[in-house]
Every structure is written in C-alpha cells, then in structure tokens.
Amino acid sequence: MEQCKVIAITNQKGGVGKTTTTVNLGVGLARQGYRVLLLDADPQGSLSVSLGLKQPDDLPVSLATILQKVMEEESVPVECGVHHHAEGVDFIPANIELSGIEVNLVNTMSREYVLKSHVSHLRKHYDYILIDCMPSLGMMTINALVAADSVLIPSQPNFLSTKGLNLLMRSIARVKRQINPGLTMDGILLTMVDSRTNNAKSIIASLRSTVGQNLRVFQSEIPYSVRAAECSNEGKSIFAHDKTSKVAQSYDALTKEVIELERKETHRSRSDWVR
Ligand SMILES: Nc1ncnc2c1ncn2[C@@H]1O[C@H](COP(=O)(O)OP(=O)(O)OP(=O)(O)O)[C@@H](O)[C@H]1O
Ligand SMILES: [Mg+2]
C-alpha cells in the first residue's frame, strides 16, 4: 500500500466488541499481507490481554509512557513500546497508567494532537494502524479521532445501542468540523448478532434502511458465539483459535470489505488528481 490508513475503532458504549474487532480485523489484514499495528488506547488494557500479555499493569513501557514523552517534547523512537505477536501483527499495549495520562492531557498544549504526533511517525512503517478506543468520549478518544483517517463503529443490534450512536456521530462530526476535516466514516459493524431472534432481525432491518441511507453498515455481521470470547483468554485471534468458525468467516469477510473500501478510496483520489 502506498499510504498508511489509521482506523479508530470506537463506541462510547462498553462491551460492544471494539477490542475483539481490533484483534480480528488486525490479524485478518496481516493474513492478507499487510503490515499492521494495533494501538491499545484503553487503560483497561483488554487489547493487550487479548494479545497474550497477562499483566499489562506491570509493563515498564506502554502507550502512556510514549504519550508522556510526547507531552514533555522528548523524541520517541518508532520502535518504543512495540510488541510483535506470533500472528504477524505489531501492537503497543496500554495499562492503568493511561488513565493518569488522560487527566494530564487536559492541561497540555495542543492536547488533542498528542497521539497524532506519535502516530504520524509510525505511519511509514505500516499499511494499517488500528486504534482500540476506550468506552468513553473523553480526551483519549478525541486524540484517537484526531490521529485517525477513518472511524469504524462496532455496535450490537439493540435499541439502546442505536440511541447511543447518535451521540457518537455528533462527537465525530464535531472533531471533523473543528480539528480533523479529512476524517471519514468507514461504517457500522454489527457485532454479537443472534440472528435467531426476531428482535435482532427487525432492528438490523430498520438500521440498514434508516441509518444505512447515510452511513455504511458493513454487509458482514459478526455472530454471537462463545468462540469469540474464548480466543481473548488464549491471547489469540479467532483465526488461530478456530478458523472454521462462523466468527472467523465473518471477520475474514469484514477484512475484505475494509480492503475493498481502501481500494475504492485510492481509486477515487487518483481520478480526482487526474481531473
Ligand atoms: N461475537 C461475539 N460473540 C460473543 N461474545 C463476544 C463476541 N465478541 C466479543 N465478545 C465478548 O464480549 C465481551 C466484550 O467484547 P469486547 O471486549 O471486544 O468489547 P469492547 O467494546 O472492547 O468492551 P469495552 O467497552 O469494555 O472496551 C468480551 O468478553 C468478548 O470476549
Ligand atoms: Mg475494549
């Protein structure tokens, strides 16, 4: 790929599948030959645990260390804090220290740009950087939206989640208007879908026909399955845990949709340039 694409995986609602999607889309992209970096931007450190780090709070270097250095205007080497996972992705872990950093960010100059400043050095080494956001719309998530080129929103198909989407969309629109005009929406990913229930079916149908008019709702839907929950305990992706499962097939299909998006965007910007 000529250019790196940075995707913020975000939803202020907790437990909707952000971390699971970051791991499995990330490994999915690496399996297609892309160079991938996953950033844990959540002090819970779930991404780090899902990638096999048992005690992220004990780590001497994490995303918090990097952001602290950026705030102190120290230079940070690109390899700082980077771990290599056996399934071919790199990642920068996070831990509880990140919540202290979020507090410090509020009183820092250019506070919205701290993560972007480091991400811009990382771009030349990767094709995709995925940021696993925490379940809030606080300063850390704003930093992720400012550092990103696009946003992917995992959401469970239930009424409360779709209500929260409006709030999220407003925050994204504000960041786009005021700070990051190039920010685009990749779309909404339906997660933990139990397609046997009529409630899920009717919410999905109404979401696709209403929200879907203005916003992409990915064709791939991630089914509810205990397989998805099992693999994070093992520090593996669903592809290593059970590659024949429906969840693996869905994340593989999502990966292809995400790659296809990029292909279309590149094509569009080339033809804009020609004109
Ligand atoms: N498709 C799925 N089917 C069943 N369980 C799932 C699925 N995807 C994720 N889970 C489980 O649901 C829980 C929440 O998922 P995950 O941690 O990915 O959500 P999150 O949005 O990152 O949460 P948080 O807001 O706390 O960061 C986890 O225990 C995870 O293993
Ligand atoms: Mg998470």
Side-chain angles (χ1 to χ4, degrees), residues 15-20 22 40 42 44 46-47 132-135:
V16 294
K18 296 179 285 294
T19 302
T20 307
T22 308
D40 193 345
D42 182 351
Q44 295 180 100
S46 321
L47 179 75
D132 180 25
C133 294
M134 67 169 93

Side-chain angles (χ1 to χ4, degrees), residues 122-275:
L122 297 170
R123 278 181 183 265
K124 54 183 166 305
H125 301 277
Y126 296 98
D127 300 312
Y128 285 95
I129 299 178
L130 309 184
I131 309 175
D132 180 25
C133 294
M134 67 169 93
S136 92
L137 290 171
M139 199 36 77
M140 198 56 230
T141 300
I142 301 293
N143 262 263
L145 293 175
V146 172
D149 300 312
S150 69
V151 184
L152 188 155
I153 303 175
S155 178
Q156 275 174 276
N158 60 42
F159 175 65
L160 281 177
S161 296
T162 44
K163 245 173 78 180
L165 274 181
N166 292 333
L167 191 64
L168 176 59
M169 297 309 295
R170 281 208 293 276
S171 294
I172 294 169
R174 198 175 327 122
V175 169
K176 188 174 161 74
R177 258 194 327 272
Q178 298 184 5
I179 310 182
N180 186 4
L183 186 65
T184 60
M185 270 311 266
D186 282 341
I188 296 176
L189 170 69
L190 295 169
T191 56
M192 302 185 215
V193 174
D194 185 355
S195 50
R196 289 166 309 175
T197 68
N198 285 333
N199 183 40
K201 274 191 212 154
S202 74
I203 287 183
I204 291 174
S206 94
L207 201 102
R208 286 194 181 279
S209 67
T210 54
V211 180
Q213 300 219 322
N214 307 312
L215 201 66
R216 177 178 303 97
V217 180
F218 285 101
Q219 283 307 314
S220 319
E221 293 172 4
I222 312 301
Y224 186 91
S225 159
V226 68
R227 290 275 172 277
E230 283 166 359
C231 55
S232 45
N233 296 334
E234 294 183 8
K236 291 176 178 174
S237 78
I238 191 67
F239 301 108
H241 179 64
D242 184 355
K243 80 171 186 296
T244 59
S245 63
K246 287 230 168 66
V247 176
Q249 287 165 11
S250 315
Y251 273 114
D252 188 49
L254 172 71
T255 303
K256 288 175 180 144
E257 278 192 77
V258 168
I259 294 170
E260 184 63 15
L261 271 180
E262 181 60 19
R263 215 180 53 77
K264 281 187 193 144
E265 277 161 21
T266 311
H267 184 72
R268 199 179 315 125
S269 60
R270 281 224 185 93
S271 50
D272 285 351
W273 186 74
V274 170
R275 250 185 275 131

